[in-house]
Amino acid sequence: MFTIGDFARLGRVSVRMLRHYDAIGLLTPATVDPATGYRFYRAAQLGRLNRVIALKDLGFTLPQVQAILDEDLGTDALRGMLRLRRAQLEAQIEADAARLTGIEARLQLIEKEGDMPTEDVVLKPVGPVRVAELTAVSPTYETVDIGPVIQPLYAELHRRLAVAGVKQTGPGIAYYTPAPDGPGEAVVVHATAQVDAGPHDGYDFEIVEVPAIPTAATIIHRGPMDNVEQSIQILARWVEDNGYRTDGYVREVYLDYCADDPAEGVTELQLAVTKS
């Protein structure tokens, strides 16, 4: 048997924690010396200790852990619970990383607020374009919500085009429209690729025409879309300074899309405007 100190080291927990588990009946010693009160544990009890720690990490309270262990939770069930929790943590890490990227982009935007020249904005008409399209709904138009929706959409669109034998003939275009049945801030994300093909019943994607923009304020955005807000802010300043008003969401034309290195990407932003 092991003293409480040795058992704590083997289980990679604190002595104080083991004493607490004993006090609440969650993990009692194998024996207690009646003369000294020293606690002793057996190696077999490490299995229960590991389950206690694993269930705590899943977010269960200690009373809940005790109830689960008293039901003699099997190894397969526990493994399944741990895998679920791992997936949840991975998703949380990914979401937090996206938020950190967004925070960094906002900080850079704030730092450059006084140095945003609008000379690169070009006013021009944009013609209609025939495209293959897949759509999905994003809960908001925020970058942190758009990214997880549009990226898999494009991956799936390219896969379906390849299966159908339809060749992309020009840059991808993403545009956004209000979601008719979603919550107030939801938008429909239209992921498209320019094609020469016409509609076909056998396609598992739509062939549509991206509408023309009679007058568009445009600017070339270089780098990842995570920091596109800076270029959009330049567009907004130009629109205001030149007496225009906006009409709808910014359209994105991916002139040079680099999946391996988004920092090398080149995107034309197109914003429909009308004279005030």
Side-chain angles (χ1 to χ4, degrees):
M1 288 193 291
F2 303 95
T3 66
I4 190 171
D6 291 338
F7 189 76
R9 283 188 288 272
L10 290 169
R12 307 191 114 185
V13 296
S14 68
V15 170
R16 179 185 58 79
M17 184 178 292
L18 289 177
R19 287 175 177 154
H20 179 59
Y21 291 167
D22 180 20
I24 64 176
L26 184 57
L27 180 60
T28 57
T31 185
V32 178
D33 188 314
T36 63
Y38 290 164
R39 299 170 174 86
F40 294 90
Y41 296 81
R42 297 186 183 279
Q45 290 181 282
L46 286 170
R48 183 176 177 92
L49 177 60
N50 287 335
R51 282 168 167 74
V52 169
I53 301 304
L55 290 168
K56 274 185 56 187
D57 288 344
L58 281 171
F60 291 106
T61 65
L62 291 181
Q64 290 172 329
V65 170
Q66 186 159 7
I68 291 171
L69 293 182
D70 288 347
E71 292 177 4
D72 195 20
L73 187 70
T75 301
D76 289 343
L78 182 59
R79 185 182 296 115
M81 294 173 72
L82 289 173
R83 285 175 175 167
L84 175 61
R85 179 56 174 164
R86 181 177 63 186
Q88 291 172 338
L89 290 173
E90 288 173 347
Q92 183 63 50
I93 290 170
E94 184 176 342
D96 288 343
R99 289 190 183 94
L100 285 173
T101 300
I103 290 171
E104 180 61 29
R106 294 288 181 179
L107 286 174
Q108 293 179 5
L109 186 60
I110 291 170
E111 291 169 355
K112 295 179 179 179
E113 280 181 348
D115 185 25
M116 290 187 178
T118 59
E119 290 83 357
D120 293 333
V121 175
V122 175
L123 194 67
K124 66 180 183 180
V126 175
V129 184
R130 175 173 289 187
V131 297
E133 174 183 273
L134 289 180
T135 63
V137 175
S138 171
T140 75
Y141 185 56
E142 294 181 24
T143 302
V144 68
D145 288 327
I146 292 294
V149 175
I150 198 169
Q151 291 168 9
L153 265 185
Y154 264 111
E156 182 62 17
L157 177 60
H158 292 151
R159 185 192 70 79
R160 295 187 187 189
L161 287 173
V163 170
V166 176
K167 184 178 180 181
Q168 184 170 345
T169 58
I173 301 173
Y175 67 101
Y176 308 90
T177 54
D181 300 321
E185 296 184 355
V187 295
V188 178
V189 179
H190 302 256
T192 81
Q194 296 182 46
V195 295
D196 284 334
H200 191 283
D201 290 340
Y203 292 158
D204 52 357
F205 48 83
E206 297 293 328
I207 299 293
V208 301
E209 189 173 86
V210 178
I213 302 177
T215 307
T218 67
I219 190 171
I220 299 298
H221 171 75
R222 302 182 187 277
M225 296 303 290
D226 291 336
N227 62 1
V228 71
E229 286 85 1
Q230 179 177 339
S231 296
I232 292 176
Q233 189 165 330
I234 293 173
L235 272 180
R237 286 185 55 193
W238 184 94
V239 168
E240 184 176 71
D241 291 347
N242 290 273
Y244 286 86
R245 57 184 177 85
T246 63
D247 182 16
Y249 297 94
V250 174
R251 185 180 296 182
E252 301 157 8
V253 181
Y254 304 116
L255 301 176
D256 188 358
Y257 176 73
C258 185
D260 295 332
D261 188 4
E264 297 297 320
V266 180
T267 306
E268 182 178 67
L269 305 178
Q270 301 174 346
L271 180 59
V273 295
T274 57
K275 200 68 174 176
S276 297

